[in-house]
Amino acid sequence: MSNTRQQQLESLKNVLDTLDILRVKCPWDAKQTNESLMPNTIEEVYELAQALLDNKEKDICKELGDVLLHVFFYSKIGSEKGSFDIGDVADSLNNKLISRHPHVFGSVKAEDAETVSRNWEEIKLHEKGGNKTVLAGVPGALPALIKAFRIQEKVANVGFDWEKASQVWNKVKEETGEVEEALALGDNDNIEAEFGDLIFSIVNAARLYGINPETALEHTNRKFITRFNWLEAKAKELGRDLKSMSLDEMDCLWKEAKINCGV
């Protein structure tokens, strides 16, 4: 289904009108603040991520609506404070899109996505008179795995990167060796740090090969859950309790799960 631009604008207006009414007539909506909404916003973004991973179009549409509601809600609160409204939000976004795409709206040349990404980061650095640091735009509240990926993307955009993707494996091997050394020495203070370095290097390897580590790990999580649920159900079917089974017995069922689950 494809609505005309006028129909799209009318739909957005309807939501804004409905939200105006809710802020006055609904006790729950009327009491919401930026602070009270924030946990719900985070939850909605994760639900959208789940829908995207499931690749279910109806769910994606629904979850996008929930996220959009929060954009409208924060904008409504801003307008009530006299700080900004949804128009200011949209104008700010549009101005940013134009200024950060000089290869489309200006005379800059960019033949591939990598060049566009580098240009984007350079423009961001100069937007505040060059005083913004390379990593200033990485939100501190990001989950650690995503944060590591964004850190590595940003420093790569200013040239701090391996010349060839294959070079990263020496670093992964080096970090693996340092973890093993810390474990062998029983150096508890250093074990966590070395594991962190190893994970950081693996995230970097994924990035260099065009893999988003968060998505890759989530796919593996879901694959493991599917297989383990099959194993558990099969054990019950056989009248067995997992705690009473040997590792070899569970491993046999695990191999069957890999064949039967299709993942």
Side-chain angles (χ1 to χ4, degrees):
M1 181 179 67
S2 180
N3 294 314
T4 66
R5 180 56 55 88
Q6 186 58 43
Q7 289 171 322
Q8 293 169 3
L9 293 173
E10 186 64 27
S11 295
L12 294 174
K13 177 183 178 300
N14 290 340
V15 177
L16 291 172
D17 291 343
T18 299
L19 187 56
D20 285 345
I21 296 170
L22 291 174
R23 281 292 278 180
V24 174
K25 296 188 175 182
C26 173
W28 187 90
D29 289 283
K31 69 180 285 189
Q32 296 310 307
T33 65
N34 287 340
E35 292 75 18
S36 67
L37 281 173
M38 185 177 68
N40 292 337
T41 305
I42 294 170
E43 181 179 340
E44 295 298 353
V45 171
Y46 275 110
E47 290 180 359
L48 172 60
Q50 182 68 57
L52 291 167
L53 283 170
D54 291 339
N55 197 27
K56 295 180 179 178
E57 297 297 326
K58 285 187 178 181
D59 288 347
I60 292 172
C61 180
K62 172 185 174 297
E63 300 303 341
L64 281 172
D66 291 343
V67 171
L68 182 60
L69 169 60
H70 283 249
V71 174
F72 283 167
F73 217 138
Y74 290 118
S75 300
K76 176 64 177 174
I77 293 171
S79 70
E80 292 168 353
K81 294 178 179 178
S83 303
F84 62 88
D85 61 23
I86 192 65
D88 297 313
V89 173
D91 286 342
S92 175
L93 172 60
N94 192 54
N95 291 336
K96 179 188 294 185
L97 289 173
I98 292 172
S99 68
R100 293 189 184 176
H101 291 82
H103 55 289
V104 176
F105 301 103
S107 57
V108 172
K109 300 292 184 182
E111 301 297 335
D112 52 51
E114 289 74 19
T115 303
V116 172
S117 183
R118 284 195 300 271
N119 288 345
W120 181 284
E121 295 298 335
E122 289 175 10
I123 293 167
K124 286 176 68 175
L125 285 173
H126 290 90
E127 280 177 344
K128 294 186 177 181
N131 294 323
K132 191 172 183 180
T133 63
V134 172
L135 297 177
V138 180
L142 280 177
L145 189 67
I146 300 174
K147 185 188 293 185
F149 185 68
R150 292 295 293 130
I151 288 170
Q152 293 163 6
E153 277 190 324
K154 284 184 173 292
V155 299
N157 281 328
V158 295
F160 191 74
D161 203 2
W162 301 101
E163 292 181 358
K164 298 179 181 179
S166 59
Q167 293 174 320
V168 75
W169 296 114
N170 287 332
K171 185 62 175 176
V172 172
K173 291 173 184 176
E174 175 189 327
E175 298 298 350
T176 301
E178 291 179 3
V179 169
E180 292 174 343
E181 182 179 345
L183 289 168
L185 294 173
D187 186 357
N188 292 327
D189 291 337
N190 203 31
I191 289 172
E192 181 186 88
E194 296 300 348
F195 265 110
D197 291 347
L198 174 58
I199 294 168
F200 193 85
S201 69
I202 291 173
V203 169
N204 208 12
R207 176 190 63 83
L208 286 163
Y209 285 92
I211 301 298
N212 185 302
E214 177 72 18
T215 303
L217 182 57
E218 179 55 21
H219 284 154
T220 294
N221 288 339
R222 296 173 72 181
K223 178 171 61 178
F224 184 93
I225 289 170
T226 299
R227 292 176 178 177
F228 194 84
N229 285 345
W230 188 96
L231 180 156
E232 187 174 25
K234 188 67 174 179
K236 288 182 179 179
E237 183 183 314
L238 297 172
R240 300 294 304 279
D241 179 76
L242 290 181
K243 291 182 179 180
S244 68
M245 295 177 68
S246 69
L247 182 57
D248 285 341
E249 289 174 319
M250 285 191 284
D251 190 51
C252 286
L253 290 182
W254 180 260
K255 290 174 181 176
E256 289 185 40
K258 292 172 68 175
I259 296 171
N260 289 281
C261 289
V263 292

